């Protein structure tokens, strides 16, 4: 009997040891899986924010190119470059003024000024004073000694002479810089003497064929438009980021270009004088610490990669220990071929991402360990059950940045792991969709189409259409009924787009009042045009804003076909965007 008791005790001890070992293994595995999931989400969060910063900045810069190209389109070249068609540019200042009026109306919240300085000294500019609801036009006739600034109601319709001053565009730095570089070029950031804020100017020299010239071309003048750092900062400040995170853009010298914080990239030293703000002088200790690390450790790596001929522009990911805690950072280069090189930096406190997920992971460990104490078999079953769900969470975290279409996480639980799954699902949704309309956002839309192309079993026969949609008269609704009415319109248009397309199609909001639609399998342009008209009718149906009040928006839609109009998303988006602008111009012309 004593022997049986000893054997029983020994078995209990062995069972207890096995249970403890199993509990330790489960604890280690679950903790490691939770850490990997957290790290994967943190990595994808950094990548997603970096991509959004680039998208926001590139939109601001791209608007300047659109402005200039809408005023003076580039020459058309044949594929072998043996033929070139130069699109005529008017020499009459009044004709040029009309183009400037149209161009400054494309992005009135971003580019409010466009101007042209002629080689003979003539000058015309159009500035939309959006906040004041008026337009100023400056003229300088060739050979004149002064320029006149008028308040205008429409092209060539003067209201009053505001002022006159001495002004010759040919001696201005932007004019000389454009002529010297002989191509589209960005100026350095400077303090504008009129608006009293930092700007940079995109210039484009214009030429005409001249048989008497040795080069065969004669300089007509320089076309230019400005981009405000204040506008780029405002765009960054509207981005949604984890608590305590910051994003900012700097030049290599350390001068701030834009920041997601409440501070501006410049400081006022007097009523009339401003100076640029350095990241190292920021009021934010986190920004100062992060920038110092990037300047000392990461920028040299970027320089080494450039020297070695490495063209990969993926952001450099790093982890640093600051007085504010452990911070994960991503630093990348934002390069524009016209002469810009900025550094984009994102800093996310590790605790901001890990706190909630780590708490949920620890809770799931408690559930698993409590079950193990009941029975070894039950612990084993719980282990398998839990590990399956943890693998689903890890796989879901991997899919956040892989470009695969969004899928629901199939975890039907009400415990901490279920809450963790819901949190991860919500995080996926917030990263992949537009917060107002709940359509796909720009990055996810592009990633999913690229994923479709990569996964297509028959890439040669893959066909689809891409529609770029810009709402007409949307600003009028905002102005007359308020931004809440504008949000109602955007939400309703998004709902109509989703209702009008098929399950295999996709719709996304690109920002503001711009939408993009992907039509899978549409190979004939005629069929695509029919679908365009169907969507246009759906969009242009009056929208109920409130009791007894409706609003009507139009739709300018640009169509691009794959692969006829491009083999990559950048080419297709450019083609559809350009055609949308062409249609918008035609619709405006018909209205006028």
């Amino acid at each position: 009997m004593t022997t049986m008791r000893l054997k029983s005790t020994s078995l209990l001890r062995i069972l207890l040891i096995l249970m403890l070992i199993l509990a330790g293994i489960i604890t280690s595995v679950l903790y490691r899986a939770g850490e990997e999931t957290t790290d994967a989400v943190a990595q994808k969060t950094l990548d997603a924010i970096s991509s959004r910063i680039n998208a926001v900045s590139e939109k601001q810069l791209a608007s300047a190119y659109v402005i200039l190209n809408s005023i003076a389109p580039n020459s058309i070249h044949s594929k072998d470059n043996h033929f070139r068609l130069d699109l005529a540019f008017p020499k009459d200042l009044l004709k040029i003024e009309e183009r400037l009026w149209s161009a400054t109306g494309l992005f009135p919240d971003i580019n409010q000024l466009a101007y042209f300085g002629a080689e003979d000294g003539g000058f015309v500019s159009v500035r939309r004073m959006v906040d004041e609801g008026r337009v100023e036009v400056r003229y300088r006739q060739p050979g004149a000694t002064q320029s006149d600034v008028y308040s205008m109601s429409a092209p060539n319709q003067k209201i009053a002479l505001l002022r006159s001053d001495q002004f010759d565009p040919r001696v201005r730095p932007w004019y000389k810089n454009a002529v010297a570089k002989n191509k589209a070029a960005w100026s350095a950031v400077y303090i504008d003497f009129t608006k009293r804020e930092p700007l940079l100017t995109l210039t484009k020299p214009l030429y005409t064929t001249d048989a008497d010239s040795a080069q065969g071309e004669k300089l007509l003048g320089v076309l230019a438009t400005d981009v405000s750092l204040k506008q780029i900062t405002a765009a960054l400040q509207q981005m949604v980021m984890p608590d305590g995170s910051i994003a900012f853009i700097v030049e290599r010298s350390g001068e701030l270009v834009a920041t997601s914080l409440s501070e501006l990239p410049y400081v006022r030293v007097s009523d009339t004088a401003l100076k640029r703000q350095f990241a190292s002088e920021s009021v934010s200790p986190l920004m100062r610490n992060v920038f110092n690390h990037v300047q000392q450790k990461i920028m040299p790596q970027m320089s080494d990669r450039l020297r070695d001929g490495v063209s990969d522009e993926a952001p450099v990911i790093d982890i640093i220990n600051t007085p504010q805690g452990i911070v994960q950072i991503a630093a990348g280069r934002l390069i524009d071929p016209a002469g810009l090189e900025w550094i984009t930096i994102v800093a996310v406190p590790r605790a901001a991402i890990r706190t909630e997920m780590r708490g949920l992971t620890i809770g799931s460990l408690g559930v698993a360990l409590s079950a193990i104490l009941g029975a070894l078999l039950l612990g084993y079953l719980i282990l398998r059950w839990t590990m399956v769900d943890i693998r689903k969470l890890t796989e879901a975290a991997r899919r956040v940045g892989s470009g695969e279409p969004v899928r629901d996480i199939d975890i039907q639980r009400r415990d901490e792991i279920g809450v963790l799954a819901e949190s991860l699902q919500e995080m996926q949704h917030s990263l992949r969709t537009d917060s107002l309309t709940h359509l796909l956002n720009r990055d996810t839309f592009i990633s999913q189409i690229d994923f479709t192309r990569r996964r297509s079993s028959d890439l040669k026969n893959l066909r689809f259409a891409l529609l770029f949609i810009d709402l007409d008269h949307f600003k009028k609704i905002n102005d007359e009924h308020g931004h809440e009415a504008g949000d109602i319109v955007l939400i309703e248009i998004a709902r109509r787009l989703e209702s009008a397309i098929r399950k295999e199609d996709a719709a996304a909001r690109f920002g503001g009042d711009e939408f993009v639609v992907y039509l899978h399998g549409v190979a004939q342009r005629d069929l695509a045009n029919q679908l365009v008209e169907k969507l246009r009718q759906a969009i242009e149906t009056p929208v109920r804003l409130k009791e007894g009040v409706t609003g009507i928006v139009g739709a300018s839609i640009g169509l691009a076909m794959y692969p006829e109009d491009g083999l990559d998303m950048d080419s297709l988006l450019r083609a559809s965007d350009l055609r949308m602008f062409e249609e918008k111009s035609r619709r405006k012309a018909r209205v006028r």
Side-chain angles (χ1 to χ4, degrees):
M1 191 171 208
T2 302
T3 302
M4 290 183 62
R5 285 180 180 176
L6 289 174
K7 289 182 178 180
S8 176
T9 302
S10 177
L11 290 175
L12 289 175
R13 288 178 178 175
I14 293 173
L15 181 60
L16 178 60
I17 291 172
L18 289 175
M19 292 175 64
L20 292 175
I21 292 174
L22 183 58
I25 293 173
I26 291 176
T27 301
S28 175
V29 170
L30 288 178
Y31 182 81
R32 182 176 178 181
E35 291 290 294
E36 290 176 353
T37 301
T38 302
D39 290 341
V41 172
Q43 175 82 19
K44 300 310 174 185
T45 300
L46 283 172
D47 289 341
I49 296 176
S50 296
S51 297
R52 290 208 300 269
I53 291 177
N54 285 344
V56 166
S57 305
E58 288 170 356
K59 179 180 179 181
Q60 301 282 327
L61 300 178
S63 66
Y65 285 99
V66 173
I67 292 287
L68 298 191
N69 289 336
S70 68
I71 299 171
N74 294 327
S75 301
I76 300 174
H77 295 260
S78 62
K79 292 183 178 179
D80 55 8
N81 287 324
H82 289 166
F83 170 78
R84 186 182 79 177
L85 175 62
D86 292 320
L87 302 179
F89 185 76
K91 297 182 180 179
D92 182 19
L93 292 182
L94 296 180
K95 296 293 185 182
I96 298 174
E97 178 200 346
E98 293 177 357
R99 294 195 179 192
L100 298 181
W101 273 82
S102 299
T104 53
L106 296 176
F107 309 102
D109 294 333
I110 301 177
N111 304 89
Q112 301 175 359
L113 172 66
Y115 43 101
F116 173 76
E119 180 63 11
D120 59 9
F123 181 81
V124 60
S125 69
V126 174
R127 182 191 297 273
R128 292 182 181 267
M129 319 289 280
V130 177
D131 296 336
E132 302 176 23
R134 61 188 183 89
V135 176
E136 287 186 0
V137 177
R138 179 189 291 268
Y139 295 104
R140 183 183 191 268
Q141 295 299 331
T145 59
Q146 68 178 21
S147 65
D148 299 320
V149 180
Y150 294 91
S151 177
M152 306 280 283
S153 60
N156 307 326
Q157 295 185 16
K158 302 174 182 177
I159 298 176
L161 175 63
L162 300 178
R163 60 188 180 275
S164 298
D165 51 30
Q166 299 295 324
F167 180 83
D168 187 342
R170 296 168 294 185
V171 302
R172 303 299 297 169
W174 56 269
Y175 190 97
K176 294 180 178 180
N177 182 56
V179 174
K181 293 188 176 179
N182 197 28
K183 62 179 182 179
W186 287 103
S187 71
V189 177
Y190 62 95
I191 305 297
D192 179 62
F193 72 93
T194 302
K195 299 185 70 176
R196 300 296 179 188
E197 64 179 72
L199 304 174
L200 65 160
T201 299
L202 179 63
T203 55
K204 179 179 181 181
L206 302 181
Y207 296 88
T208 184
T209 303
D210 186 358
D212 298 330
S213 173
Q215 291 79 21
E217 291 183 328
K218 179 182 178 182
L219 179 66
L220 284 177
V222 176
L223 191 62
T225 187
D226 298 337
V227 173
S228 168
L229 300 193
K230 186 176 181 181
Q231 294 287 351
I232 303 177
T233 294
L236 257 62
Q237 289 172 348
Q238 293 174 3
M239 290 185 3
V240 177
M241 296 191 298
D243 292 341
S245 303
I246 60 171
F248 57 101
I249 305 173
V250 295
E251 299 188 64
R252 276 193 169 270
S253 60
E255 291 177 298
L256 276 172
V257 174
T259 169
S260 64
L261 299 177
S262 57
E263 63 179 323
L264 293 172
Y266 57 90
V267 292
R268 186 174 298 277
V269 296
S270 69
D271 293 340
T272 59
L274 304 175
K275 75 168 186 175
R276 298 282 304 280
Q277 172 81 312
F278 283 83
S280 58
E281 300 171 348
S282 171
V283 298
S284 167
L286 180 58
M287 180 183 291
R288 297 198 300 269
N289 292 327
V290 169
F291 175 73
N292 288 337
H293 178 81
V294 171
Q295 188 177 45
Q296 296 173 13
K297 303 293 185 181
I298 297 181
M299 284 188 184
Q301 296 180 32
M302 294 178 175
S303 300
D304 292 341
R305 289 162 63 182
L306 278 177
R307 187 170 55 251
D308 297 338
V310 179
S311 60
D312 181 19
E313 297 302 330
V316 177
I317 306 297
D318 204 352
I319 299 176
I320 62 174
N321 198 350
T322 71
Q324 294 77 38
I326 297 177
V327 178
Q328 293 186 279
I329 62 175
R333 296 167 62 226
L334 178 62
I335 299 177
D336 187 275
L340 281 187
E341 181 186 357
W342 291 344
I343 308 298
T344 63
I345 303 173
V346 181
V348 179
R350 196 178 184 90
I353 298 176
R354 296 171 64 95
T355 299
E356 181 180 359
M357 299 190 71
R358 176 179 288 177
L360 296 173
T361 303
I362 293 175
S364 65
L365 287 175
V367 172
L369 293 175
S370 297
I372 292 173
L373 295 176
L376 182 60
L377 178 60
L378 183 60
Y380 173 73
L381 295 176
I382 290 177
L383 172 63
R384 292 193 59 185
W385 179 42
T386 304
M387 286 305 301
V388 168
D389 290 341
I390 290 293
R391 281 194 291 270
K392 289 180 181 179
L393 290 175
T394 305
E395 177 64 17
R398 184 193 63 80
R399 290 200 306 267
V400 170
S402 68
E404 298 183 36
V406 178
R407 300 174 183 172
D408 291 335
I409 302 176
D410 185 19
I411 297 180
Q412 305 298 326
R413 302 171 63 136
R414 296 184 178 180
D415 58 4
E416 288 80 359
I417 293 180
V419 175
L420 178 60
E422 291 178 2
S423 299
L424 186 57
Q425 188 73 39
E426 292 173 0
M427 186 174 295
Q428 287 191 88
H429 187 269
S430 65
L431 289 176
R432 290 174 177 260
T433 60
D434 174 59
S435 59
L436 177 64
T437 63
H438 301 296
L439 294 179
L440 297 177
N441 59 31
R442 179 191 182 98
D443 293 336
T444 303
F445 181 84
I446 294 174
S447 296
Q448 290 195 8
I449 295 178
D450 286 337
F451 176 77
T452 300
R453 293 178 62 251
R454 292 196 305 269
R455 294 292 296 271
S456 176
S457 58
D458 189 2
L459 187 59
K460 293 183 178 179
N461 294 325
L462 177 64
R463 296 290 185 275
F464 62 84
L466 194 70
L467 308 182
F468 200 106
I469 304 172
D470 186 86
L471 302 184
D472 301 331
H473 317 306
F474 178 76
K475 184 177 182 299
K476 181 179 179 182
I477 291 179
N478 268 340
D479 293 342
E480 294 181 358
H481 302 287
H483 290 285
E484 183 177 357
D487 290 347
I488 292 174
V489 170
L490 293 176
I491 294 171
E492 177 60 18
I493 296 303
R495 185 194 66 76
R496 293 177 184 178
L497 288 177
E498 285 193 308
S499 300
I501 62 178
R502 303 163 298 175
K503 182 179 180 181
E504 60 269 29
D505 300 334
R509 182 188 179 200
F510 265 35
D513 57 352
E514 296 176 343
F515 298 84
V516 178
V517 175
Y518 164 82
L519 301 175
H520 183 73
V522 175
Q524 293 80 28
R525 196 173 292 270
D526 289 342
L527 174 58
N529 285 326
Q530 294 176 13
L531 297 174
V532 166
E533 293 308 315
K534 176 184 175 183
L535 292 177
R536 193 193 310 279
Q537 291 176 9
I539 293 172
E540 295 184 348
T541 302
V543 178
R544 182 179 181 275
L545 303 179
K546 56 185 177 180
E547 187 66 33
V549 178
T550 59
I552 299 177
V553 294
S556 296
I557 303 177
L559 168 65
M561 304 293 294
Y562 176 89
E564 294 88 344
D565 294 322
L567 298 177
D568 57 76
M569 284 301 298
D570 287 342
S571 300
L572 293 172
L573 285 171
R574 281 196 299 269
S576 59
D577 189 26
L578 177 60
R579 289 168 184 166
M580 179 275 291
F581 278 119
E582 292 173 349
E583 181 182 1
K584 183 179 287 289
S585 297
R586 288 194 296 270
R587 290 164 67 92
K588 287 183 177 179
R590 287 197 297 270
V591 171
R592 287 197 295 268

